[in-house]
């Protein structure tokens, strides 16, 4: 998510580990809100979903995962058990299968949904727009209809900074919207659908979270980003170069008006992002009605070369790169203004560039092929 596109290249007890950050959601006590609340994470076996599942468990929520495993690995469930001490209920359901989604909601009492599920490769969306619109929008409509039938009235939506029109200054939530690819438009349209649904159904409460560029991994190195195909984002590409899976990084343009001429983007540690979801969820659980919209970013930009140097520092290895032409449409700088999330529910990022790269390197070095084994082992 975040449209970073390789630019520039079952208990309800509160886990004590949660206390170091839970207090940051300062307008409410997350542990109190969480008690006995059952949350469904769609796409919960994916990169951001898995990290958010851990944070939800730490905050005292009961969590279930729904995922079709198209872009995720069943092995993540074993890793989640290691990290949380729980068997997280897993439902292999495709959100485009309306009867299966209905059954899932009818058979379980969910208090809320965090909706991560969706296709997310920008380039693929340009090549296969009908598939993206059908899957992302149709699947979301199935979830909304099942929620309404089952009386589940809280949803946090995994949106993206790609819903914003190009903007050189820090982007706040009031900046003009508009997309440049079908993936972005699916996020834009789902945001619109959720807002319209909340007008019609006063019981429905919605949080729209617009991510910038998630990176890094859980400090244990047990879960992380594991692209099932060619990486679409800068960091997994750098990580695969460092572990020897790819020869070199291509940097698209070094003549931008930035600190070193390479593109600057707002990167956010995936655990900060996950905590943002828990804060947003707790907020809507306490609201009587309505829609809240927040950026989740750091408010600080880092260039491609700064990311390369930070990964070299974390890994102790060189990252070979070559400079190639700019890509059409790439901006020099894209950075969030995340002040609204801090003001509304006390959330802000706490993990900087070094922690992002150190955790990413721990994950990648200990799991060079992600959750899969090396190609020979898989053959």
């Amino acid at each position: 998510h975040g449209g970073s596109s390789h630019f520039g290249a079952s208990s309800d007890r509160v886990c004590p580990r949660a206390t170091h950050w839970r207090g940051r959601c300062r307008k409410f006590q997350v542990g109190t809100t969480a008690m006995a609340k059952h949350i469904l994470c769609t796409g919960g076996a994916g990169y951001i979903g898995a990290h958010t599942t851990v944070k939800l468990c730490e905050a005292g929520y009961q969590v279930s995962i729904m995922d079709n495993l198209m872009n995720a690995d069943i092995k993540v469930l074993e890793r989640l058990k290691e990290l949380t001490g729980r068997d997280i209920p897993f439902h292999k359901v495709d959100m485009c299968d309306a009867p299966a989604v209905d059954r899932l909601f009818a058979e379980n009492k969910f208090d809320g949904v965090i909706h991560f599920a969706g296709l997310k490769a920008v380039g693929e969306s340009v090549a296969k727009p009908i598939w993206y619109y059908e899957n992302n929008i149709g699947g979301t409509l199935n979830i909304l209809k099942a929620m309404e039938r089952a009386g589940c009235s809280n949803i946090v939506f995994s949106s993206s900074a790609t819903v914003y029109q190009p903007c050189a200054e820090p982007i706040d939530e009031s900046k003009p919207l508009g997309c440049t690819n079908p993936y972005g438009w699916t996020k834009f349209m789902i945001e619109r659908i959720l807002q319209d649904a909340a007008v019609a159904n006063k019981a429905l409460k919605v949080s729209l979270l617009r991510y910038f560029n998630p990176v890094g991994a859980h400090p244990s190195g047990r879960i992380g980003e594991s692209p099932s195909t060619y990486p679409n984002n800068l960091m997994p590409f750098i990580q695969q170069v460092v572990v020897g899976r790819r020869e070199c990084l291509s940097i698209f343009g070094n003549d931008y008006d930035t600190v070193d001429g390479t593109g600057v983007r707002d990167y956010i540690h995936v655990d900060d992002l996950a905590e943002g979801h828990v804060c947003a969820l707790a907020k809507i659980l306490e609201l009587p009605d309505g829609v809240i919209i927040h950026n989740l970013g750091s408010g600080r930009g880092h260039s491609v070369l700064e990311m390369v140097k930070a990964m070299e520092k974390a890994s102790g290895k060189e990252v070979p790169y070559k400079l190639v032409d700019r890509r059409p449409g790439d901006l020099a700088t894209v950075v969030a203004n995340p002040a609204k999330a801090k003001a509304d529910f006390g959330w802000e990022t706490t993990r900087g560039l070094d922690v992002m790269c150190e955790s990413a390197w721990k994950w990648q070095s200990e799991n060079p092929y992600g959750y899969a084994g090396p190609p020979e082992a898989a053959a």
Side-chain angles (χ1 to χ4, degrees), residues 131-148:
W131 185 35
Y132 267 65
Y133 289 120
E134 178 181 47
N135 186 88
N136 292 5
I137 297 171
T140 302
L141 291 171
N142 289 337
I143 289 165
L144 278 172
K145 288 185 281 188
M147 285 176 63
E148 189 164 7

Side-chain angles (χ1 to χ4, degrees), residues 155-178:
I155 184 166
V156 176
F157 176 55
S158 161
S159 191
S160 166
T162 54
V163 300
Y164 291 112
Q165 289 181 18
C167 181
E169 61 189 68
I171 298 172
D172 63 43
E173 293 80 359
S174 68
K175 288 287 188 286
L177 303 180

Side-chain angles (χ1 to χ4, degrees), residues 51-363:
H51 286 81
T52 303
T53 295
V54 172
K55 294 296 179 186
L56 287 165
C57 290
E58 289 179 359
Y61 291 91
Q62 182 184 351
V63 188
S64 292
I65 290 172
M66 174 186 122
D67 203 302
N68 68 355
L69 300 178
M70 181 186 289
N71 192 32
D73 194 302
I74 194 70
K75 294 188 190 76
V76 78
L77 297 174
E78 303 159 20
R79 307 285 181 95
L80 288 173
K81 184 175 182 179
E82 284 177 40
L83 297 177
T84 65
R86 299 192 202 176
D87 280 308
I88 309 286
F90 172 72
H91 306 276
K92 190 174 188 294
V93 171
D94 188 318
M95 65 178 175
C96 293
D97 183 347
V101 174
D102 270 341
R103 275 195 304 276
L104 179 61
F105 277 84
E107 293 168 4
N108 296 271
K109 174 73 179 79
F110 297 123
D111 298 292
V113 174
I114 304 186
H115 181 29
F116 298 101
L119 301 168
K120 62 171 190 173
V122 170
E124 184 179 58
S125 80
V126 174
K128 302 176 178 178
I130 294 170
W131 185 35
Y132 267 65
Y133 289 120
E134 178 181 47
N135 186 88
N136 292 5
I137 297 171
T140 302
L141 291 171
N142 289 337
I143 289 165
L144 278 172
K145 288 185 281 188
M147 285 176 63
E148 189 164 7
R149 289 186 193 110
C152 176
S153 58
N154 298 284
I155 184 166
V156 176
F157 176 55
S158 161
S159 191
S160 166
T162 54
V163 300
Y164 291 112
Q165 289 181 18
C167 181
E169 61 189 68
I171 298 172
D172 63 43
E173 293 80 359
S174 68
K175 288 287 188 286
L177 303 180
C179 308
T180 55
N181 57 73
Y183 160 71
W185 283 116
T186 67
K187 295 295 188 186
F188 175 94
M189 292 175 190
I190 292 166
E191 284 197 6
R192 185 72 259 159
I193 288 165
L194 289 167
Q195 290 176 86
D196 290 343
V199 170
N201 175 6
K202 296 303 182 196
L204 183 65
K205 296 174 288 179
V206 175
S207 162
L208 307 177
L209 296 178
R210 295 171 179 164
Y211 310 166
F212 282 70
N213 299 287
V215 296
H218 190 274
S220 67
R222 299 301 287 157
I223 57 174
E225 187 166 15
S226 181
S228 56
T229 54
Y230 190 85
N232 290 294
N233 299 320
L234 175 68
M235 275 295 276
F237 206 103
I238 293 177
Q239 290 162 222
Q240 291 185 7
V241 171
V242 174
V243 294
R245 285 179 63 184
R246 300 192 184 276
E247 280 186 22
C248 96
L249 172 74
S250 294
I251 296 180
F252 299 102
N254 68 332
D255 56 352
Y256 288 103
D257 184 15
T258 61
V259 61
D260 54 28
T262 63
V264 168
R265 296 294 183 271
D266 187 325
Y267 296 92
I268 173 174
H269 193 293
V270 66
D271 274 343
D272 280 328
L273 184 63
E275 290 168 7
H277 287 75
V278 182
C279 292
L281 174 67
K283 184 73 172 176
I284 61 167
L285 285 169
E286 295 207 336
L287 288 176
D289 55 40
V291 178
I292 58 175
I293 304 175
H294 295 89
N295 289 336
L296 295 183
S298 71
R300 293 179 296 279
H302 294 292
S303 75
V304 177
L305 283 177
E306 285 173 335
M307 299 302 285
V308 167
K309 287 170 188 163
M311 186 52 84
E312 288 180 333
K313 177 183 169 189
S315 66
K317 295 175 181 286
E318 188 181 347
V319 178
Y321 64 85
K322 61 183 178 185
L323 298 168
V324 297
D325 289 343
R326 290 185 180 194
R327 294 184 313 186
D330 273 356
L331 296 179
T333 301
V334 181
V335 175
N337 175 348
K340 188 167 182 278
K342 184 175 182 181
D344 289 353
F345 43 71
W347 175 88
E348 60 187 334
T349 61
T350 62
R351 299 161 179 88
L353 184 56
D354 286 347
V355 176
M356 294 180 206
C357 290
E358 286 159 10
S359 63
W361 172 242
K362 182 171 174 64
W363 155 253

Side-chain angles (χ1 to χ4, degrees), residues 20-62:
H20 74 281
W21 65 268
R22 244 185 34 229
R24 285 162 47 201
C25 306
R26 63 169 181 265
K27 302 228 172 147
F28 39 74
Q29 182 59 38
V30 175
T32 308
T33 311
M35 294 316 271
K37 297 293 186 191
H38 189 182
I39 306 304
L40 178 69
C41 289
T42 74
Y47 174 43
I48 301 165
H51 286 81
T52 303
T53 295
V54 172
K55 294 296 179 186
L56 287 165
C57 290
E58 289 179 359
Y61 291 91
Q62 182 184 351

